[in-house]
Amino acid sequence: MSDIQLRNLVKSYGENVAVAGIDLHIQQGEFFSLLGPSGCGKSTTLRMIAGFIRPTSGQILIGSDDVTRLPPEKRDIGIVFQNYAIFPHMSVAENIAFGLKLRKKKPAEIDTAVAFALKQVGLMGYENRYQRQLSGGEQQRVALARVLVTHPRILLLDEPLSALDKALREEMKYWIKDLQKTLGITTVYVTHDQDEALTMSDRIGVMQKARIEQVGTPQEIYERPKTLFVTTFIGQSNVLNVTVKGREGDRLAIEFGGGTVLTRLPASDFAAGSAAKLVVRPENVIIGEAGTGLPATVVSETYQGALVRYRLTVSGQDVVAERQNQSHVARLSVGQTCAVSWDPERSEVLVA
Ligand code: ADP
């Protein structure tokens, strides 16, 4: 098991910069996700770690080894891609044994290792099946077993669940997370799916436009986003135009909706009178009776089963609120006047 260090890692294709200088230290045993929209440079970063793409500049260390110039097969990594890269003309057992045969292991040793890997991925009894006899999820398990059997120092996963249907994705994400924890293998996971990243990761690096915008635990990323991009990419947020009034003790006072609202003190300073964005997540908007907060009017109501989602207007700006659909919570009707508020700790002021 090893940690991974990326030092000012850059990849350009002529004018096009795919990765614009990434510095990252992924800890030993960590499940680290690179999360971001399509084209932000996630796969390029992962493929540079794997050795399939040569960096334009910068350095990659696995453990204490500088692997920047090493070919993939010398890096001691395992990689699983989105499209299940298993050989259709080989049985499951042959697929898993493939890497060990290349390494000239003894047949008895290979048999033991294959049986163990099949057990690890929960596919005992599948030895003699072929790709066409496997579901998508099973194929990804085989792809993982084929990698794990070689005992790599690090595991790289490039959108391994995105070809699977939703139910299977749900199941597999918990399964992969559990397996990773059991093995304790340092893992880098590439995804554009925020739910996967939040559920599976120890830490997430949110990427945009060839750079990492924020690194943090799922909770830090979700509850303490540092930029507007992070807050809107991960989950949903109300982003409101507000004016900063100034510091009030350990809070920041802002002007919004004809009143003063308090929020957490932001990391950076905001001058009084400056325009800013106030960010609050729909589940943190509290709807109360008129007089208990900022005056609001219900514009629409959407029933979502476990949740009811309201769109409200507050001083001409849209505010979305989500409420648990519980029997003791009265539903609101369109046009109804009410009030909204939130816990200052659950709101954030960011640069406009
Ligand atoms: P992601 O994995 O986040 O979707 P990629 O790492 O695949 O993004 O790509 C990042 C950027 O680099 C994109 O703009 C993409 O078009 C560009 N890119 C990737 N590979 C090449 C290539 N071989 N030649 C030119 N541009 C590339």
Side-chain angles (χ1 to χ4, degrees):
M1 302 303 147
S2 298
D3 61 345
I4 305 166
Q5 293 182 63
L6 309 183
R7 296 185 181 158
N8 199 12
L9 198 61
V10 174
K11 181 66 194 180
S12 333
Y13 295 99
E15 296 277 280
N16 190 2
V17 181
V19 174
I22 286 185
D23 284 291
L24 199 59
H25 188 181
I26 298 168
Q27 306 293 332
Q28 186 169 317
E30 187 172 31
F31 195 117
F32 191 96
S33 292
L34 290 170
L35 171 68
S38 178
C40 71
K42 308 178 295 289
S43 286
T44 305
T45 305
L46 195 81
R47 280 157 209 251
M48 284 194 282
I49 301 173
F52 300 130
I53 295 177
R54 191 171 248 248
T56 305
S57 60
Q59 213 182 9
I60 301 167
L61 279 85
I62 301 179
S64 53
D65 305 330
D66 184 338
V67 300
T68 318
R69 308 269 158 231
L70 285 185
E73 66 277 10
K74 296 252 169 73
R75 294 190 182 198
D76 201 3
I77 54 134
I79 185 162
V80 174
F81 298 100
Q82 171 180 350
N83 45 352
Y84 347 102
I86 71 173
F87 302 120
H89 58 285
M90 289 185 192
S91 70
V92 165
E94 286 164 345
N95 262 286
I96 299 172
F98 184 76
L100 298 176
K101 282 189 181 150
L102 282 184
R103 287 172 174 76
K104 308 246 183 301
K105 300 280 182 202
K106 295 193 185 87
E109 206 179 316
I110 293 179
D111 288 347
T112 311
V114 168
F116 185 71
L118 280 168
K119 199 166 161 222
Q120 277 183 319
V121 301
L123 288 181
M124 285 99 78
Y126 281 62
E127 289 79 353
N128 299 320
R129 292 210 195 180
Y130 285 81
Q131 186 185 30
R132 62 178 183 280
Q133 299 165 309
L134 301 169
S135 71
E138 287 161 353
Q139 291 182 51
Q140 279 308 52
R141 287 173 191 247
V142 174
L144 255 172
R146 208 172 53 172
V147 157
L148 294 177
V149 79
T150 63
H151 298 292
R153 284 197 289 178
I154 62 172
L155 181 60
L156 307 174
L157 304 170
D158 193 353
E159 305 250 8
L161 305 183
S162 54
L164 307 178
D165 65 43
K166 191 170 185 300
L168 200 53
R169 264 200 325 263
E170 278 297 302
E171 182 192 319
M172 288 286 283
K173 73 183 183 192
Y174 295 108
W175 178 78
I176 290 181
K177 162 104 184 144
D178 288 347
L179 181 67
Q180 189 272 343
K181 278 283 157 275
T182 310
L183 299 173
I185 187 169
T186 312
T187 300
V188 188
Y189 189 90
V190 160
T191 183
H192 63 273
D193 184 310
Q194 34 141 329
D195 282 338
E196 279 176 20
L198 288 173
T199 310
M200 300 171 83
S201 318
D202 294 313
R203 283 191 306 154
I204 301 171
V206 183
M207 289 188 72
Q208 190 203 16
K209 295 187 183 151
R211 295 183 190 280
I212 293 196
E213 286 226 356
Q214 186 172 352
V215 174
T217 63
Q219 191 171 349
E220 283 163 355
I221 295 287
Y222 189 81
E223 295 183 12
R224 300 280 182 264
K226 291 205 171 114
T227 65
L228 280 178
F229 172 76
V230 173
T231 197
T232 48
F233 188 73
I234 320 281
Q236 293 181 323
S237 277
N238 292 293
V239 180
L240 306 167
N241 299 312
V242 298
T243 308
V244 173
K245 288 180 89 171
R247 200 172 156 158
E248 270 187 27
D250 60 351
R251 298 272 184 244
L252 187 73
I254 54 166
E255 210 176 288
F256 171 64
T260 299
V261 183
L262 296 177
T263 180
R264 268 170 19 89
L265 269 187
S268 50
D269 269 352
F270 283 89
S274 60
K277 301 286 185 192
L278 176 75
V279 173
V280 55
R281 298 220 181 256
E283 69 267 28
N284 293 324
V285 175
I286 302 161
I287 305 175
E289 285 180 15
T292 60
L294 302 166
T297 308
V298 178
V299 176
S300 69
E301 182 208 35
T302 312
Y303 179 83
Q304 296 185 333
L307 295 174
V308 183
R309 184 181 169 84
Y310 293 101
R311 200 154 63 80
L312 305 128
T313 177
V314 180
S315 189
Q317 296 193 53
D318 269 0
V319 173
V320 172
E322 272 173 9
R323 273 181 161 186
Q324 297 290 330
N325 180 18
Q326 290 170 327
S327 55
H328 64 275
V329 181
R331 299 264 291 274
L332 302 169
S333 48
V334 172
Q336 190 174 335
T337 55
C338 56
V340 295
S341 59
W342 46 81
D343 178 350
E345 276 302 310
R346 292 285 173 148
S347 62
E348 200 85 33
V349 169
L350 297 171
V351 180

